[in-house]
Amino acid sequence: MKYNDNAKNDLTALSKGAFLISQDAGQTNIMTIAWGAIGNIWGKPVFIALVRKSRFTHELINNSNEFTVTIPHEDMSEALALCGTKSGREMDKMEFLGLKTVPSKEIKTPTLDCKGTHYECMVLYKTDMKPSELDELTKERWYGDNDFHTVYFAEIVNTTEK
Ligand SMILES: Cc1cc2nc3c(=O)[nH]c(=O)nc-3n(C[C@H](O)[C@H](O)[C@H](O)COP(=O)(O)O)c2cc1C
């Protein structure tokens, strides 16, 4: 399927919560995301994800340069809540929740095994937010703790729906 076949519904669903899986050196971790975008950049389908530097996920993506995103098409609100509040540094969230993965087609990081749209993503460009360039109201609203995001622009190398 094409990367944007489900884009309208998926972008709406993303704002309520989706899963991002990262993996490095045999460690696989899942976290909840709600900010992101899908578009066409550099002539490629791109997923833009924002991950704060404090996240375990940040470390794993920086090492592997890849991740998968799943927009669930079933109610996974309990898993989204846990994956959005507990860190993979403290616990194995997938094991605790009984979440399973399947191998991805184009990258090493696995894909969540659930009903949804699944994006396999390879980082093309990343940039750390510069506080000096940020609108003051946005800074006050979202970055009182100075935990800024790294913005990852990742090529969507495969899209599947289950
Ligand atoms: C609904 C929801 C959306 C979230 N979206 C993001 C996001 O887009 N980027 C981010 O860095 N953290 C986001 N978080 C917070 C992380 O999911 C949370 O800090 C998580 O525990 C990080 O896990 P990790 O340390 O295992 O990577 C969100 C949390 C929730 C509940």
Side-chain angles (χ1 to χ4, degrees):
M1 67 185 280
K2 276 179 62 194
Y3 79 101
N4 54 2
D5 280 350
N6 291 346
K8 186 171 177 220
N9 290 339
D10 282 346
L11 286 173
T12 307
L14 170 63
S15 66
K16 294 176 193 135
F19 296 101
L20 186 154
I21 293 182
S22 53
Q23 176 176 279
D24 178 54
Q27 273 188 300
T28 308
N29 187 46
I30 187 164
M31 83 168 227
T32 301
I33 59 166
W35 290 2
I38 294 170
N40 184 297
I41 308 178
W42 306 300
K44 294 177 170 176
V46 165
F47 192 97
I48 302 173
L50 286 84
V51 180
R52 293 187 198 255
K53 291 187 174 186
S54 61
R55 314 296 188 223
F56 185 42
T57 298
H58 189 270
E59 193 180 316
L60 296 182
I61 298 179
N62 277 354
N63 290 338
S64 70
N65 274 320
E66 54 174 58
F67 55 88
T68 61
V69 172
T70 289
I71 315 279
H73 293 170
E74 55 185 305
D75 179 16
M76 298 187 70
S77 43
E78 278 180 28
L80 286 168
L82 186 119
C83 295
T85 47
K86 299 286 181 200
S87 176
R89 289 195 185 95
E90 301 154 24
M91 66 185 290
D92 185 335
K93 290 179 260 187
M94 303 220 289
E95 187 181 84
F96 181 82
L97 291 162
L99 296 174
K100 303 279 180 251
T101 58
V102 291
S104 294
K105 191 165 162 250
E106 302 292 342
I107 63 175
K108 289 184 192 148
T109 306
T111 292
L112 190 61
D113 187 12
C114 70
K115 281 190 186 157
T117 312
H118 309 279
Y119 301 97
E120 297 175 25
C121 305
M122 291 179 76
V123 177
L124 294 169
Y125 177 67
K126 64 183 174 186
T127 183
D128 293 340
M129 288 181 64
K130 277 195 215 154
S132 60
E133 306 294 322
L134 187 61
D135 162 69
E136 276 305 320
L137 285 178
T138 306
K139 198 191 294 181
E140 278 169 31
R141 171 73 179 85
W142 295 104
Y143 300 98
D145 54 2
N146 284 321
D147 188 8
F148 290 93
H149 288 97
T150 295
V151 187
Y152 296 95
F153 294 73
E155 180 177 359
I156 300 171
V157 291
N158 192 37
T159 307
T160 51
E161 185 176 18
K162 188 184 162 193

